[in-house]
Amino acid sequence: MKLMQLYASLKSDLQAIEDDMSRTVTSDMPTLSEASQHLMKAGGKRLRPVFVLLSGKFGRYSLDTVKKVAVPLELIHMATLVHDDVIDDAETRRGQLTVKSKWDNRIAMYTGDFIYAKALTVVSELGNPRIHQVLSNAIVQMCIGEMEQVRDFFETDQSIRNYLLRIRRKTALLIAISCQLGALATDAPKRHSDALYRFGYNVGMAFQITDDLLDICGTEKAIGKPPGSDLRQGNITLPVLYALQDPALKDRLLAEIRLIRQSEGAADSSAAVRIVRESRGIKDSEKMADRYIAKAVKALGELPDLTAKKNLAEIARFVAKRSY
Amino acid sequence: MKLMQLYASLKSDLQAIEDDMSRTVTSDMPTLSEASQHLMKAGGKRLRPVFVLLSGKFGRYSLDTVKKVAVPLELIHMATLVHDDVIDDAETRRGQLTVKSKWDNRIAMYTGDFIYAKALTVVSELGNPRIHQVLSNAIVQMCIGEMEQVRDFFETDQSIRNYLLRIRRKTALLIAISCQLGALATDAPKRHSDALYRFGYNVGMAFQITDDLLDICGTEKAIGKPPGSDLRQGNITLPVLYALQDPALKDRLLAEIRLIRQSEGAADSSAAVRIVRESRGIKDSEKMADRYIAKAVKALGELPDLTAKKNLAEIARFVAKRSY
């Protein structure tokens, strides 16, 4: 089953969100508008808006209200991606386009800042202080998560717990509050917004683990980038950490990672990827993702039996099985 | 008269703000904390907190309330500076420290994002939706101003109006809302917060014009960087635009700016600086700054005769006369 089919019932509301996002990032500055529209066109799964919309069904749903939560959350996600691009641009730049990519870096950084600020103007229209609190705290955690990822690059000695804490901040929190804020904005009972937060958190964890698995097991066609990109960057993910626990593979894998590190991104990560693929790291990571999905579905138990609840469960199951 | 003497009466409240800023940017991440503390120690004029404190005197002043406006405003200013540093780091990097400065760039970008997000958590403690609206709108404008500056680099054909619009967004707005929000947060009458906004806007314009003058006329010792830095970056400021209006100097100055541009930052800007220094651009810019100061002082006319009003007028006059 495709994610799009799950979205079918939300189609018109999602389109309204898409239109609002596009309007929000439009400005008189041609470069800003072009960069933003480029990002809009690149699309994405729009997971956060979907979770806001579905969670909003547990309160007094109004498109106008949920829009003002969904649009900023997806824009904040987008701003994070643009800032990650600044780093990526910096790497391509080691090749040839030095001046041009420097220019792009500025644009990318300021475009990220702009989209982020625009997102906040939309939230502020709701006039709900609680939403500002939840949101700003989550953004702080996300920034720390990004820094942790940089800190942990090529750190092969890190614990599974360290990895989980990092993806919690980097990914799971924003999905958790997407669910929570959809409920808060529509005045759903606290018991429900709490359950939705737990649901989102666990789905977010599973989502990131699956993402990290796809970077090892996926095909370039399916995931839109060559597999092994994480390792090339130095990002040591769950399947790799599990593979490193296998005494028969550990030394070979460490040697490959050392080679990648020494080459400063120029080396091929495919030998390392092959080792991880053959390891128990894949199965163990899948099991971990499944455990998070089970917890997410369990959190839904607190909620009344609306269609939205069924949809959330379907998306959760889809997340762990997706191949893109 | 030194700015510090004007600040004497605010000393203990400013110290409380300094302590809160420091606490706010402290985190468990060593790199984040180090980068943030480094910025804290670098200090600054703390103009925005001073304006918040003084403006707060026109309402029901409470240190606890004005702190929650002053701390985030100064932190947002600081975050902007860190993001500007990302660009500067990129330039130093053309020399030798490629990998190291790349690392610093990430840190600088994420530190900026972190400080910015932390600032918002402090504002959200006030639970005042109007403040979020004013603030997020101003940040959007600031981002556009930063982009305009990039767009206008080496643009010698731009109008004075274009320059003024750009510094309005880049600098004056944040100072304007520092005054406005000090008043809003303490429930001062709207007439007063409007007058304070106008005061801050005009002082901010004069402040940036003086900054741009100092970059041409200041000594390295006084301004903490070699004069002519703006021109080296391609930032065409008011004294330069006025100098370009002089037919006797125009062609020589254009040729010098062209040289700087072609050398991509490697060239010396001192010949161009000398031409501007000899031109009427200095006097004309000083006059323009004085006009803004006069408007700022006039805006104070709307306000009751408190000591704070006298202090604001003193700071305004100081801004146009400062040499650092």
Side-chain angles (χ1 to χ4, degrees):
Chain A
M1 186 177 200
K2 284 269 178 207
L3 200 54
M4 268 306 136
Q5 285 170 266
L6 291 172
Y7 287 2
S9 63
L10 306 170
K11 204 175 166 192
S12 77
D13 287 5
L14 277 175
Q15 189 54 52
I17 287 170
E18 203 72 12
D19 294 345
D20 257 30
M21 283 174 66
S22 188
R23 243 195 313 276
T24 305
V25 297
T26 299
S27 74
D28 294 338
M29 277 287 298
T31 341
L32 264 184
S33 290
E34 279 160 31
S36 303
Q37 291 305 333
H38 169 79
L39 285 160
M40 284 297 304
K41 270 184 216 132
K45 299 179 196 73
R46 305 290 188 242
L47 257 196
R48 290 148 204 86
V50 167
F51 282 144
V52 174
L53 292 184
L54 291 173
S55 300
K57 303 281 186 187
F58 296 91
R60 284 191 298 277
Y61 188 91
S62 122
L63 176 59
D64 197 50
T65 303
V66 291
K67 251 188 353 189
K68 284 175 182 151
V69 175
V71 167
L73 281 167
E74 189 68 9
L75 288 179
I76 286 167
H77 170 61
M78 205 182 257
T80 316
L81 295 183
V82 191
H83 276 188
D84 291 349
D85 282 353
V86 174
I87 306 305
D88 293 344
D89 267 348
E91 281 176 1
T92 343
R93 179 208 232 139
R94 279 196 209 142
Q96 22 197 336
L97 302 170
T98 329
V99 182
K100 192 191 166 293
S101 65
K102 181 186 157 272
W103 183 263
D104 285 352
N105 264 2
R106 289 181 207 234
I107 304 292
M109 196 181 61
Y110 290 136
T111 303
D113 289 354
F114 169 78
I115 294 178
Y116 183 35
K118 272 291 197 173
L120 294 174
T121 64
V122 178
V123 184
S124 76
E125 287 170 26
L126 282 173
N128 185 329
R130 179 84 181 107
I131 292 181
H132 281 285
Q133 279 159 16
V134 170
L135 190 60
S136 55
N137 280 316
I139 298 170
V140 167
Q141 296 301 316
M142 280 170 68
C143 291
I144 298 180
E146 296 282 0
M147 292 284 280
E148 285 174 335
Q149 181 164 317
V150 172
R151 178 196 64 191
D152 296 343
F153 274 155
F154 291 110
E155 183 53 80
T156 46
D157 255 350
Q158 64 184 288
S159 63
I160 304 284
R161 192 183 121 84
N162 186 68
Y163 164 85
L164 294 174
L165 272 172
R166 191 172 68 230
I167 67 165
R168 173 180 193 277
R169 286 178 154 147
K170 209 191 70 166
T171 307
L173 257 178
L174 195 65
I175 297 182
I177 69 161
S178 298
C179 298
Q180 182 190 18
L181 294 181
L184 272 183
T186 54
D187 295 318
K190 184 170 182 311
R191 199 164 58 93
H192 295 168
S193 65
D194 287 352
L196 285 160
Y197 176 93
R198 281 199 306 281
F199 167 80
Y201 164 70
N202 285 296
V203 169
M205 293 297 282
F207 182 82
Q208 187 59 53
I209 294 170
T210 311
D211 225 47
D212 293 345
L213 268 166
L214 284 171
D215 187 65
I216 298 286
C217 304
T219 60
E220 178 155 359
K221 194 170 166 228
I223 61 176
K225 55 178 184 179
S229 301
D230 284 337
L231 268 173
R232 248 191 322 278
Q233 268 203 301
N235 190 9
I236 309 293
T237 58
L238 190 60
V240 181
L241 288 173
Y242 276 135
L244 284 168
Q245 288 179 352
D246 184 339
L249 300 174
K250 185 174 179 180
D251 289 343
R252 261 204 303 149
L253 184 50
L254 281 179
E256 288 295 339
I257 294 174
R258 216 173 298 125
L259 275 179
I260 298 170
R261 181 175 205 170
Q262 280 156 1
S263 75
E264 288 179 30
D268 193 353
S269 60
S270 56
V273 165
R274 264 195 310 276
I275 299 173
V276 180
R277 278 187 188 169
E278 287 161 18
S279 76
R280 46 166 261 224
I282 306 304
K283 267 251 124 31
D284 286 354
S285 302
E286 284 170 355
K287 267 191 222 155
M288 180 73 95
D290 287 341
R291 274 209 295 280
Y292 279 111
I293 293 298
K295 280 192 213 171
V297 173
K298 195 174 160 220
L300 294 176
E302 293 283 325
L303 297 170
D305 286 326
L306 308 180
T307 312
K309 176 172 163 175
K310 223 183 71 199
N311 292 338
L312 286 172
E314 284 164 350
I315 296 179
R317 283 191 204 98
F318 169 83
V319 158
K321 299 283 166 262
R322 76 201 165 97
S323 56
Y324 64 94
Chain B
M1 188 176 199
K2 284 267 176 208
L3 201 54
M4 267 307 136
Q5 284 171 266
L6 293 173
Y7 288 4
S9 63
L10 306 170
K11 204 175 165 193
S12 78
D13 287 5
L14 277 175
Q15 189 55 52
I17 287 170
E18 203 71 15
D19 294 345
D20 257 31
M21 281 173 67
S22 188
R23 244 195 311 277
T24 305
V25 297
T26 300
S27 75
D28 294 339
M29 278 287 298
T31 342
L32 262 186
S33 290
E34 279 161 33
S36 303
Q37 291 304 334
H38 170 79
L39 285 161
M40 284 297 304
K41 271 182 215 133
K45 300 181 196 71
R46 304 295 188 238
L47 259 196
R48 290 146 202 87
V50 168
F51 283 144
V52 174
L53 291 183
L54 290 174
S55 301
K57 303 283 186 185
F58 296 91
R60 283 190 300 277
Y61 187 90
S62 123
L63 176 60
D64 198 50
T65 303
V66 289
K67 252 190 351 193
K68 283 173 183 152
V69 175
V71 168
L73 281 168
E74 190 68 10
L75 288 179
I76 286 167
H77 170 60
M78 207 183 257
T80 317
L81 295 184
V82 192
H83 276 187
D84 290 349
D85 283 353
V86 174
I87 305 307
D88 293 343
D89 267 345
E91 282 175 1
T92 344
R93 179 206 231 141
R94 279 197 208 142
Q96 22 197 336
L97 303 168
T98 330
V99 182
K100 194 191 165 292
S101 65
K102 181 185 157 272
W103 182 261
D104 286 352
N105 265 3
R106 290 182 206 234
I107 304 292
M109 198 182 59
Y110 290 137
T111 302
D113 289 356
F114 170 78
I115 293 178
Y116 182 36
K118 273 290 196 171
L120 295 173
T121 65
V122 178
V123 185
S124 75
E125 286 170 27
L126 282 173
N128 185 331
R130 178 82 181 108
I131 293 181
H132 280 285
Q133 279 159 15
V134 170
L135 190 60
S136 54
N137 280 317
I139 298 170
V140 167
Q141 295 301 316
M142 281 170 68
C143 292
I144 297 180
E146 296 283 359
M147 292 285 280
E148 286 174 333
Q149 181 164 317
V150 173
R151 178 198 63 189
D152 296 343
F153 273 155
F154 291 109
E155 183 53 78
T156 45
D157 254 349
Q158 63 184 289
S159 62
I160 304 284
R161 192 182 122 85
N162 185 68
Y163 164 85
L164 294 174
L165 272 173
R166 190 172 72 229
I167 68 165
R168 174 181 193 275
R169 285 177 156 147
K170 208 190 71 165
T171 306
L173 257 178
L174 195 65
I175 297 183
I177 69 161
S178 298
C179 297
Q180 181 190 18
L181 293 181
L184 273 183
T186 55
D187 295 318
K190 185 169 181 312
R191 198 163 59 92
H192 296 167
S193 64
D194 286 352
L196 284 160
Y197 176 93
R198 281 199 306 281
F199 168 79
Y201 163 70
N202 286 295
V203 169
M205 293 297 283
F207 182 82
Q208 187 59 53
I209 293 170
T210 311
D211 225 46
D212 293 345
L213 268 166
L214 285 170
D215 188 65
I216 298 286
C217 303
T219 61
E220 177 154 3
K221 196 171 165 228
I223 62 177
K225 57 177 182 178
S229 301
D230 285 337
L231 269 173
R232 248 190 323 278
Q233 266 201 303
N235 190 8
I236 308 293
T237 58
L238 189 61
V240 181
L241 289 174
Y242 276 134
L244 284 167
Q245 289 180 351
D246 183 339
L249 300 174
K250 186 173 179 182
D251 289 342
R252 259 204 304 148
L253 185 49
L254 281 178
E256 287 297 335
I257 294 173
R258 216 173 297 125
L259 274 179
I260 299 170
R261 181 175 206 169
Q262 279 157 2
S263 75
E264 288 179 30
D268 194 352
S269 60
S270 56
V273 164
R274 261 195 311 276
I275 300 174
V276 180
R277 277 186 190 171
E278 288 161 18
S279 77
R280 47 167 260 225
I282 306 304
K283 267 252 124 30
D284 285 355
S285 302
E286 282 170 356
K287 266 191 224 154
M288 179 76 94
D290 287 342
R291 274 208 296 280
Y292 279 111
I293 293 299
K295 280 193 213 170
V297 174
K298 196 176 161 218
L300 293 177
E302 292 282 325
L303 297 170
D305 285 326
L306 307 180
T307 312
K309 177 172 161 176
K310 223 184 71 198
N311 293 338
L312 287 172
E314 284 163 350
I315 296 178
R317 283 189 204 101
F318 170 82
V319 157
K321 299 283 167 264
R322 76 201 164 96
S323 56
Y324 64 94

